Amino acid sequence: MQETKINDFVVRFANVNGTGSASANALFTKAVFRMGVPVTPKNIFPSNIQGLPTWYEVRVSEKGYLGRREGVDLMVAVNPQSMKKDYADVASGGYFVYDNTKPLSPDYDRDDITHLGIPMTGLCNAEYTDARQRQLFKNIVYIGALATLFDIEFSVLEGLIGEQFKGKEKLIEPNIKALNLGVDFVKDNFEYPFALRVERRDLLGDKILYSGNSACALGAIYAGATVAAWYPITPSTSVVDAFAKYCSKYRVDPETGKNNYAIVQAEDELAAIGMVMGAMWNGARAFTATSGPGVSLMNEFLGLGYFAEVPTVLIDVQRTGPSTGMPTRTQQSDILLAAYASHGDTKHPLLFPATPKECFEMTAQAFDLTERLQTPVIIMTDLDLGMNDHITDELVWDDATQYDRGKVLSSTQLERIYKAMSSGNGSHIEAQPDSEAEHAGAFLEQFNGKWGRYLDIDGDGIPYRTIAGTNATRGAFVTRGSSRDEYGVYTEDGEAYQRNVDRLAKKWKTAEELVPQPEFLQEQSTKPDGVVFFGTSTYAAEEALEMLEKDGIAMDAMRPRAFPFGKAFRDFVDAHSRIFVIEQNRDAQFRSLMMIELGVDASKLMSVLNYDGMPITADNIYRQILAKCRD
């Protein structure tokens, strides 16, 4: 007799890509969510359009563990191509659900699992004549069967079907019929509910199911973005798809019906980021989204953005590399590429969201950061966060929020500055009521009678800028990717070049204070060992720490949310004799970043790595740290 597991199990669906299974499997996830129970889905799909194996894994956890867990408690295997492996992946004591329209091969003879045969094809062939309907509704049949076995409330599924096909009411009845085919078969042939069950809880409050890519798009909307330029690439395309959907609702003039936005599919990634920089240069808020191969192509423009100090927002939804790699698998493998993108001495602020809510917030924040710092800002998500639905807190926006455009001079300010410079009297500006002219005296002293785009007036490394067309005669300047002096004049003078890059280094120190600060799992660091994790490693890492603590291994933990690293980050590193760095790439890129930027000795940093393209699990982290602690 199997152990009863209530709200604590893993289900994996093994399907054929292109058969409509993803929406049916998502129906299962949403039903569990509507029952008030924490649930985490992972869509594991191939890079082709149709025919290859695809999997959809769902973890149900009443304790709120939202990372992946090893072991499959119930496998729904409807793909003959992968069935042998799917069968082997079922944990001892688990269930193997299969289509028994045709008999199962004698090779599938494990006696430590329960076999549940459901004639999905036969049931659909008897009810539907259209070949496509037979294929699609087979997925709905097994959802109905599982709902009965798991004791999921049928009314929840009915409600979800109604919402899914709102406006297409003719599709509701046949889908409900397909659900009932599975329900009736289970009731007639099995004892139900069985050992794996979903019981209604109220554990989610106001939380929502949302994807990181959609959250990034919405964050861009709320940040005031009106321009997106991109070249389609998995797994980032749905960022711009979602942005287009939101723009069609929120960026249309209610009186004229004209669109107040521009979305451009460029000929390649290099052109896309060039368009974004051009739009930002002209005062619009713009962004692009890509993945690792696109970032590789964008390196030249990222270097221009750094050196010419042009605001740019880039969303990097990471996937496995190098080259084409595995386009539909996840990794955190663009860290060094993004941090130092372009040749020469360049550094770019990186933001590391861990949840859709942070995707929303950090994307909005990126637009303020890029304009304040006048440099490209890169949001580092990945396929897991971007394309999968995640339970997250509701997205909240303060309508009183004012956009921070940074040190942008208005036409009125320019006129005041030039008038004061020509008269040699700074009091004219200083007496003005608006605070934007508070540095007039410094302007008079530093400008020497002419506009200096790249002068550091305030000592923070960030110069003042103007937006093209602000004033017909004041504040114009020429910029370039080649060296120039503080007034934008081309020069190959070594001293002028060094003054410029030293100022950029000073601006980098300013960025340390402006980027999101790290989060800590403890108020003070008191333990000898520390753990560092970021992005989508977060949930698995937090669960692994609980597992380790049960074994008597307690550690302090820090979740960095941005690069550059500031004082709080350095203090955490200094406070521990050994630090485990959890990341999802082969070459320990975040660990390398810590060594480069902080000068940390390599022996102090212990790597915990995962790079098979699947989201890291708590079990994996636990085993690696445990082994190192016992060495």
Side-chain angles (χ1 to χ4, degrees):
M1 183 176 180
Q2 274 108 340
E3 174 190 0
T4 299
K5 294 183 178 181
I6 298 174
N7 299 337
D8 182 21
F9 52 82
V10 172
V11 177
R12 185 183 297 168
F13 301 89
N15 303 99
V16 179
N17 197 37
T19 59
S21 59
S23 59
N25 298 338
L27 188 65
F28 179 83
T29 295
K30 293 174 182 177
V32 176
F33 179 82
R34 291 287 177 90
M35 295 276 286
V37 180
V39 60
T40 302
K42 306 293 182 189
N43 192 12
I44 307 156
F45 58 98
S47 57
N48 77 326
I49 295 174
Q50 188 170 2
L52 290 180
T54 182
W55 294 270
Y56 187 94
E57 188 175 286
V58 181
R59 182 179 184 183
V60 179
S61 173
E62 184 167 303
K63 294 181 180 179
Y65 296 132
L66 299 178
R68 279 189 69 230
R69 195 207 76 188
E70 293 179 6
V72 178
D73 297 298
L74 184 141
M75 177 75 71
V76 180
V78 293
N79 185 358
Q81 185 179 347
S82 64
M83 189 173 287
K84 186 174 181 179
K85 182 181 184 303
D86 297 330
Y87 189 73
D89 285 344
V90 180
S92 182
Y95 295 84
F96 182 71
V97 178
Y98 64 99
D99 187 347
N100 68 344
T101 302
K102 294 182 179 180
L104 189 66
S105 168
D107 294 337
Y108 296 86
D109 58 355
R110 289 177 57 182
D111 58 9
D112 63 330
I113 63 175
T114 299
H115 301 73
L116 299 174
I118 301 172
M120 307 167 198
T121 301
L123 291 171
C124 288
N125 287 348
E127 292 291 334
Y128 308 102
T129 57
D130 181 79
R132 182 60 176 165
Q133 283 188 331
R134 287 175 171 177
Q135 183 182 67
L136 293 173
F137 286 131
K138 183 168 70 172
N139 305 316
I140 304 299
V141 167
Y142 66 65
I143 295 297
L146 290 185
T148 308
L149 291 168
F150 282 107
D151 205 21
I152 295 173
E153 297 167 12
F154 191 78
S155 60
V156 171
L157 291 171
E158 286 183 309
L160 289 167
I161 291 289
E163 292 173 15
Q164 182 176 344
F165 295 108
K166 186 177 181 180
K168 301 178 182 178
E169 277 69 21
K170 289 183 178 180
L171 296 176
I172 295 176
E173 184 179 343
N175 274 274
I176 298 297
K177 181 180 179 180
L179 283 174
N180 277 310
L181 289 175
V183 170
D184 293 341
F185 184 84
V186 168
K187 288 182 176 180
D188 292 341
N189 293 275
F190 301 129
E191 292 184 8
Y192 66 93
F194 65 162
L196 306 180
R197 299 180 190 176
V198 178
E199 286 188 0
R200 179 172 284 280
R201 297 286 188 268
D202 187 13
L203 301 173
L204 299 176
D206 294 328
K207 292 185 184 296
I208 60 175
L209 268 178
Y210 204 47
S211 73
N213 281 357
S214 293
C216 284
L218 196 60
I221 288 285
Y222 274 85
T226 57
V227 177
W230 102 116
Y231 184 79
I233 180 172
T234 302
S236 69
T237 299
S238 58
V239 174
V240 181
D241 288 343
F243 182 72
K245 180 184 73 174
Y246 294 132
C247 280
S248 67
K249 185 173 182 180
Y250 300 113
R251 291 278 185 271
V252 178
D253 189 291
E255 295 182 3
T256 65
K258 291 184 177 180
N259 294 336
N260 293 326
Y261 63 93
I263 298 175
V264 184
Q265 180 175 329
E267 61 267 33
D268 55 36
E269 288 88 349
L270 190 60
I273 196 169
M275 293 174 185
V276 168
M277 292 175 67
M280 294 286 284
W281 177 268
N282 280 282
R285 285 196 154 185
F287 75 97
T288 187
T290 191
S291 193
V295 178
S296 296
L297 287 172
M298 293 176 180
N299 262 237
E300 185 174 356
F301 263 123
L302 287 167
L304 174 64
Y306 174 81
F307 197 57
E309 297 175 79
V310 182
T312 307
V313 173
L314 167 61
I315 300 169
D316 178 11
V317 190
Q318 299 168 89
R319 70 188 206 189
T320 61
S323 190
T324 304
M326 292 192 293
T328 59
R329 297 291 186 267
T330 194
Q331 269 189 3
Q332 297 171 320
S333 55
D334 296 349
I335 296 167
L336 293 176
L337 167 68
Y340 303 121
S342 191
H343 57 279
D345 294 321
T346 55
K347 292 182 182 180
H348 306 291
L350 311 180
L351 307 184
F352 299 105
T355 66
K357 186 174 188 292
E358 285 194 336
C359 286
F360 171 75
E361 294 171 344
M362 288 187 180
T363 300
Q365 188 175 9
F367 285 91
D368 281 356
L369 282 172
T370 194
E371 294 208 272
R372 286 190 68 179
L373 293 169
Q374 300 175 31
T375 196
V377 173
I378 306 175
I379 303 158
M380 305 294 290
T381 74
D382 56 34
L383 183 146
D384 179 25
L385 179 55
M387 295 194 71
N388 286 317
D389 285 335
H390 299 261
I391 288 178
T392 191
D393 292 327
E394 282 189 315
L395 311 185
V396 178
W397 183 261
D398 184 355
D399 289 335
T401 299
Q402 297 290 317
Y403 300 146
D404 189 342
R405 306 302 302 266
K407 295 180 177 180
V408 178
L409 295 175
S410 67
S411 179
T412 301
Q413 288 173 289
L414 288 167
E415 291 292 350
R416 291 172 182 170
I417 291 168
Y418 274 82
K419 186 174 181 178
M421 285 193 297
S422 63
S423 67
N425 179 12
S427 62
H428 171 78
I429 305 177
E430 291 169 344
Q432 299 301 321
D434 62 73
S435 61
E436 293 177 342
E438 62 186 2
H439 301 293
F443 277 120
L444 288 174
E445 180 182 346
Q446 296 288 338
F447 281 1
N448 295 321
K450 59 181 179 179
W451 162 242
R453 164 66 177 99
Y454 294 105
L455 284 169
D456 181 10
I457 303 298
D458 307 314
D460 59 3
I462 305 172
Y464 284 79
R465 68 186 177 109
T466 57
I467 293 173
T470 295
N471 188 294
T473 59
R474 310 297 192 192
F477 64 95
V478 175
T479 195
R480 63 193 77 234
S482 51
S483 183
R484 74 277 169 186
D485 66 12
E486 289 83 351
Y487 297 91
V489 177
Y490 170 72
T491 178
E492 294 187 13
D493 176 69
E495 290 185 1
Y497 168 82
Q498 187 168 336
R499 287 197 306 272
N500 188 49
V501 295
D502 285 346
R503 178 181 58 77
L504 292 175
K506 185 186 294 183
K507 180 166 70 171
W508 185 252
K509 295 296 292 183
T510 300
E512 289 184 6
E513 303 171 3
L514 298 180
V515 298
Q517 297 304 300
E519 288 188 348
F520 302 91
L521 266 64
Q522 64 287 323
E523 291 186 6
Q524 292 183 329
S525 295
T526 59
K527 303 173 183 69
D529 289 341
V531 178
V532 171
F533 51 84
F534 59 95
T536 52
S537 302
T538 297
Y539 289 128
E542 290 175 345
E543 184 178 356
L545 286 172
E546 290 187 25
M547 296 164 67
L548 288 163
E549 194 160 6
K550 291 177 182 177
D551 283 350
I553 301 173
M555 301 180 180
D556 295 323
M558 174 178 70
R559 179 171 74 91
R561 300 195 301 148
F563 172 72
F565 307 136
K567 182 179 184 302
F569 190 109
R570 291 191 292 270
D571 288 347
F572 181 87
V573 173
D574 292 342
H576 297 92
S577 58
R578 182 171 60 172
I579 295 176
F580 295 88
V581 184
I582 302 169
E583 52 187 314
Q584 300 184 65
N585 58 72
R586 184 196 68 182
D587 292 340
Q589 294 185 28
F590 199 89
R591 175 178 179 268
S592 297
L593 199 62
M594 292 173 64
M595 292 167 59
I596 294 168
E597 295 295 322
L598 305 179
V600 185
D601 189 271
S603 62
K604 181 175 182 174
L605 303 178
M606 315 293 289
S607 289
V608 178
L609 305 175
N610 177 72
Y611 46 91
D612 62 0
M614 297 292 289
I616 195 169
T617 66
D619 314 77
N620 187 349
I621 296 170
Y622 168 79
R623 285 194 301 270
Q624 290 191 56
I625 292 180
L626 189 64
K628 288 178 170 62
C629 287
R630 288 176 174 174
D631 284 346

